[in-house]
Amino acid sequence: DTGVSQDPRHKITKRGQNVTFRCDPISEHNRLYWYRQTLGQGPEFLTYFQNEAQLEKSRLLSDRFSAERPKGSFSTLEIQRTEQGDSAMYLCASSLGNRGGRYNEQFFGPGTRLTVL
Amino acid sequence: AQRVTQPEKLLSVFKGAPVELKCNYSYSGSPELFWYVQYSRQRLQLLLRHISRESIKGFTADLNKGETSFHLKKPFAQEEDSAMYYCALSDYNFNKFYFGSGTKLNVKP
């Protein structure tokens, strides 16, 4: 296990197209987070999963965005009808969650850079 | 509203000089505070969190609830400290994380 992986690393699409990104977390991690990062900004929280349950969603996650984690392992983030404003780096992170109230570190993936033309 | 502010986009210091990267926050409750670092062409990674009260790579950060600050400090900067630094906070259950816009630290030889 070499850490969190994301696929693809780069995606160029035309406005109006749908795109889907995949995140494979570290195998025993039960929490999975999605973030979006635009140029000059820090990561913005989008959503997180505890196993297969999506427990938090940001208001940034419009109805064009949907995320799934069907078996509590890998996750997908889909953007429908992409807009130029969706151009950003999409980051995934995973962690062991807060078992026993203790914080367990988030490990980040390399990100998927989306460019919408 | 929850917010993390890092007022400096760029901080340049000479090797051996002290470093302080500023972070202020607003949060209704008791937040957990973190510093993350991203070295060139590497992934974002945790540097330290306030509750562990430890020094990592010579960096320390003290949570000041009165001033709602969590500044990152190092007494003697090294060239390998050059990186992007992000301050972040979460709720006590680590359900949501809020990141600042980051400060680029450039340590000159």
Side-chain angles (χ1 to χ4, degrees):
Chain A
D1 192 338
T2 56
V4 179
S5 61
Q6 293 186 246
D7 184 68
R9 296 291 306 277
H10 303 274
K11 178 70 177 179
I12 299 173
T13 191
K14 293 183 178 179
R15 189 178 54 180
Q17 297 294 304
N18 299 344
V19 295
T20 300
F21 310 139
R22 177 179 169 124
C23 171
D24 286 90
I26 294 172
S27 58
E28 66 269 25
H29 284 185
N30 55 10
R31 284 203 177 190
L32 188 148
Y33 301 82
W34 283 101
Y35 296 87
R36 181 175 68 186
Q37 186 173 21
T38 54
L39 199 61
Q41 299 299 316
E44 295 174 288
F45 172 84
L46 292 178
T47 188
Y48 101 91
F49 292 84
Q50 175 88 20
N51 299 310
E52 66 275 9
Q54 187 174 17
L55 297 184
E56 281 278 357
K57 288 174 64 173
S58 165
R59 286 173 295 173
L60 293 173
L61 214 64
S62 75
D63 55 7
R64 295 186 297 107
F65 287 69
S66 62
E68 293 183 344
R69 195 182 182 198
K71 295 183 180 179
S73 56
F74 73 92
S75 176
T76 58
L77 177 68
E78 181 183 16
I79 309 174
Q80 295 183 328
R81 305 180 303 281
T82 52
E83 302 172 357
Q84 287 184 325
D86 297 331
S87 295
M89 177 75 85
Y90 289 83
L91 294 169
C92 175
S94 71
S95 79
L96 283 168
N98 63 333
R99 291 178 181 175
R102 290 182 58 244
Y103 169 73
N104 288 285
E105 179 180 348
Q106 285 185 83
F107 291 85
F108 281 82
T112 293
R113 182 167 295 284
L114 173 66
T115 302
V116 182
L117 302 175
Chain B
Q2 295 82 356
R3 180 183 293 272
V4 178
T5 303
Q6 294 180 249
E8 305 135 329
K9 284 202 173 296
L10 174 65
L11 186 63
S12 287
V13 300
F14 285 101
K15 177 182 170 182
V19 170
E20 182 179 52
L21 289 87
K22 291 184 167 47
C23 172
N24 289 89
Y25 68 91
S26 63
Y27 186 77
S28 54
S30 294
E32 299 280 340
L33 273 297
F34 307 86
W35 277 98
Y36 283 81
V37 61
Q38 189 167 24
Y39 301 102
S40 178
R41 287 186 284 278
Q42 293 189 26
R43 304 178 184 198
L44 194 61
Q45 59 185 285
L46 178 68
L47 180 63
L48 55 80
R49 57 182 291 231
H50 85 273
I51 202 164
S52 54
R53 302 184 66 81
E54 54 190 347
S55 172
I56 304 292
K57 299 184 179 183
F59 285 97
T60 59
D62 289 321
L63 177 59
N64 185 323
K65 292 186 178 181
E67 296 182 358
T68 60
S69 68
F70 187 55
H71 302 327
L72 184 69
K73 300 177 184 179
K74 184 170 183 176
F76 308 104
Q78 303 299 314
E79 289 181 68
E80 56 265 30
D81 296 329
S82 294
M84 198 74 186
Y85 290 81
Y86 295 95
C87 182
L89 71 79
S90 78
D91 60 1
Y92 73 96
N93 271 334
F94 317 112
N95 292 339
K96 296 179 72 170
F97 285 77
Y98 301 90
F99 283 79
S101 56
T103 298
K104 184 173 182 179
L105 176 64
N106 180 33
V107 182
K108 297 176 284 190

